[in-house]
Amino acid sequence: MIYFYLSLTLTIVISLCLFLLLIRRLRINWAKQNRRKLSFLLPSILSLIFLAFVIFELKPRLLDCLDILQNNVYTYSVNSQDIEFVGRRIKHGDKMLIRSPWEPGLKADTIYRIRYAKYSGLVLAFDIQMPEEVSAPSP
């Protein structure tokens, strides 16, 4: 859960920095103080980068933040043999989730309960599940 909040905070900070940089470059353009001939295109490039970052990084985390506040996170149980690690990502079937770099490794023949955020795919909790708690995935 800490990883989600750190990720959200970092994403907000980067978005604000990109926005402030865009405003600064627009003011330079409006004052016609460009030192290089092609620097007048920089606000257009920055606006595309800002938009892409907001759409693909910030928006999913903000939507997940609302789901977390409403306690509406996805949970499912999986055996450790069915999980494949690809870097920091967990691959199980068609799902690709991002886990915290601080999470411990897997134990063999253990059933895990994975709670994850729907939109960003960040793993919120990665717990060992007791055998009597095994159930079907729930939204």
Side-chain angles (χ1 to χ4, degrees), residues 35-89:
R35 293 186 181 157
R36 296 191 182 118
K37 293 179 182 178
L38 291 179
S39 66
F40 70 93
L41 291 175
L42 196 55
S44 300
I45 295 168
L46 280 172
S47 64
L48 290 176
I49 292 171
F50 174 71
L51 234 102
F53 191 79
V54 166
I55 290 171
F56 295 114
E57 295 295 328
L58 183 62
K59 178 186 162 197
R61 283 171 177 77
L62 289 176
L63 289 172
D64 286 338
C65 190
L66 292 174
D67 280 349
I68 289 170
L69 290 174
Q70 296 172 355
N71 200 18
N72 187 19
V73 293
Y74 284 76
T75 303
Y76 72 96
S77 300
V78 64
N79 194 329
S80 61
Q81 296 171 346
D82 300 335
I83 299 174
E84 179 184 343
F85 283 104
V86 183
R88 279 189 18 234
R89 297 182 183 267

Side-chain angles (χ1 to χ4, degrees), residues 15-136:
S15 296
L16 286 174
C17 288
L18 282 171
F19 182 72
L20 293 174
L21 185 62
L22 174 63
I23 296 298
R24 182 170 183 251
R25 292 307 305 178
L26 281 171
R27 286 184 180 160
I28 289 172
N29 268 10
W30 291 330
K32 298 183 181 178
Q33 296 174 343
N34 292 322
R35 293 186 181 157
R36 296 191 182 118
K37 293 179 182 178
L38 291 179
S39 66
F40 70 93
L41 291 175
L42 196 55
S44 300
I45 295 168
L46 280 172
S47 64
L48 290 176
I49 292 171
F50 174 71
L51 234 102
F53 191 79
V54 166
I55 290 171
F56 295 114
E57 295 295 328
L58 183 62
K59 178 186 162 197
R61 283 171 177 77
L62 289 176
L63 289 172
D64 286 338
C65 190
L66 292 174
D67 280 349
I68 289 170
L69 290 174
Q70 296 172 355
N71 200 18
N72 187 19
V73 293
Y74 284 76
T75 303
Y76 72 96
S77 300
V78 64
N79 194 329
S80 61
Q81 296 171 346
D82 300 335
I83 299 174
E84 179 184 343
F85 283 104
V86 183
R88 279 189 18 234
R89 297 182 183 267
I90 298 172
K91 184 176 181 184
H92 176 252
D94 60 341
K95 291 181 181 157
M96 188 71 104
L97 304 173
I98 303 168
R99 74 182 188 109
S100 168
W102 307 299
E103 290 286 335
L106 291 178
K107 296 178 183 176
D109 295 330
T110 307
I111 296 174
Y112 287 96
R113 180 177 42 224
I114 300 175
R115 294 180 63 217
Y116 67 97
K118 176 182 174 183
Y119 299 103
S120 63
L122 291 171
V123 174
L124 303 174
F126 194 73
D127 305 322
I128 295 176
Q129 184 171 359
M130 298 302 151
E132 63 271 2
E133 297 177 351
V134 177
S135 61

